[in-house]
Structures are given as C-alpha cells and as structure tokens.
C-alpha cells in the first residue's frame, strides 16, 4: 500500500471517529438539557401546588424561554370540584403568576396529579 493510500485511510478513519464523537456528544447534551427541563417542570408543579388551593390536577402545556434566562411554564389546573382553569403561566423561579386566570391562592395539601409536557405523569 502506498503512503498516499495509508494517509487517506487514516484520514477517513479519523474523520469517522470525529463524526461519531460529535454525534454522541450532541445526544448526551440534548438528553441532559431534556432532563433539566423536566426537573424545572417538576419544581414548577410543586410551586403551583404550594401556592394554589383546591388543585386536583396540573397539566404543563408548554415550557419556553421568553428571553435569555427567563423560563416560562404554561399550565392548566383542574380544581377539586372539576372546574378546569386554562391558560395559566408562571415564570420559573419567581413567586407569582403573571397570568392566573382566576386561580385561588392558598395551598393544596392533598395529592395532585401532574402531567408534564413529555406526557409523563406523576403524583406529588
């Protein structure tokens, strides 16, 4: 095998290795980012339960960054009497709802069902 063919073979192997390494890194990064988002949704559900009374179910409908560093969560609440209050929004990490749509402030002591944006369900 000539030197030129050896160099080309080594170059192709190195290029394939780099492509695989980048793909693996991207996958791990996205998985980590997804886990961070899910954790923030869980913390937000706990905050909602701790600050709104008569909550039976929380459905997280959207999670987004409204500006750099400002994360928002949109959610719907089903109250214990069956009333559904849609279109609520909260800024993660700050107290208060910037769109409460008639939520009753207080605390829910009972277990609450939560549905996250991934479709995963939990009871908190």
């Amino acid at each position: 095998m000539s030197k030129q063919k050896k160099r080309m073979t080594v170059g192709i192997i190195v290029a394939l290795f780099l492509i695989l390494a980048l793909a693996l890194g991207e996958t791990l990064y996205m998985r980590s980012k997804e886990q961070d988002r899910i954790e923030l949704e869980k913390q937000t559900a706990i905050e909602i339960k701790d600050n709104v009374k008569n909550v039976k179910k929380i459905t997280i409908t959207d999670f987004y960054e409204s500006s750099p560093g400002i994360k928002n969560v949109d959610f719907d609440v089903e109250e214990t009497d069956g009333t559904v209050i849609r279109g609520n929004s909260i800024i993660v990490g700050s107290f208060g709802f910037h769109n409460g749509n008639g939520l009753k402030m207080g605390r829910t002591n009972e277990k609450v069902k939560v549905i996250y944006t991934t479709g995963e369900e939990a009871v908190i």
Side-chain angles (χ1 to χ4, degrees):
M1 190 182 273
S2 70
K3 278 187 166 185
Q4 188 176 10
K5 284 186 177 182
K6 285 182 182 178
R7 283 186 191 156
M8 187 179 287
T9 303
V10 168
I12 290 171
I13 291 170
V14 168
L16 289 174
F17 177 75
L18 287 173
I19 290 169
L20 288 172
L22 289 172
L24 178 62
E26 175 70 15
T27 300
L28 292 174
Y29 172 75
M30 293 306 287
R31 191 172 291 153
S32 171
K33 195 168 182 138
E34 177 80 7
Q35 285 300 111
D36 290 347
R37 184 179 60 75
I38 290 169
E39 187 58 37
L40 283 172
E41 286 183 18
K42 289 178 180 179
Q43 291 173 1
T44 301
I46 291 169
E47 187 173 336
I48 294 166
K49 181 181 182 234
D50 288 347
N51 291 291
V52 179
K53 62 180 169 178
N54 301 328
V55 176
K56 178 180 176 182
K57 180 171 87 172
I58 301 167
T59 304
I60 308 290
T61 57
D62 198 10
F63 179 90
Y64 58 95
E65 204 165 327
S66 58
S67 59
I70 307 295
K71 294 176 177 59
N72 295 58
V73 175
D74 293 344
F75 63 96
D76 298 334
V77 169
E78 181 180 339
E79 295 181 327
T80 53
D81 67 0
T83 303
V84 177
I85 303 173
R86 298 186 190 283
N88 301 291
S89 189
I90 186 171
I91 297 173
V92 175
S94 76
F95 179 76
F97 304 92
H98 65 265
N99 188 5
N101 288 338
L103 296 174
K104 296 173 186 82
M105 302 312 285
R107 180 182 181 92
T108 300
N109 295 316
E110 297 78 21
K111 297 286 185 183
V112 174
K113 179 179 181 179
V114 182
I115 302 173
Y116 301 104
T117 56
T118 60
E120 176 185 343
E121 296 183 9
V123 177
I124 58 170

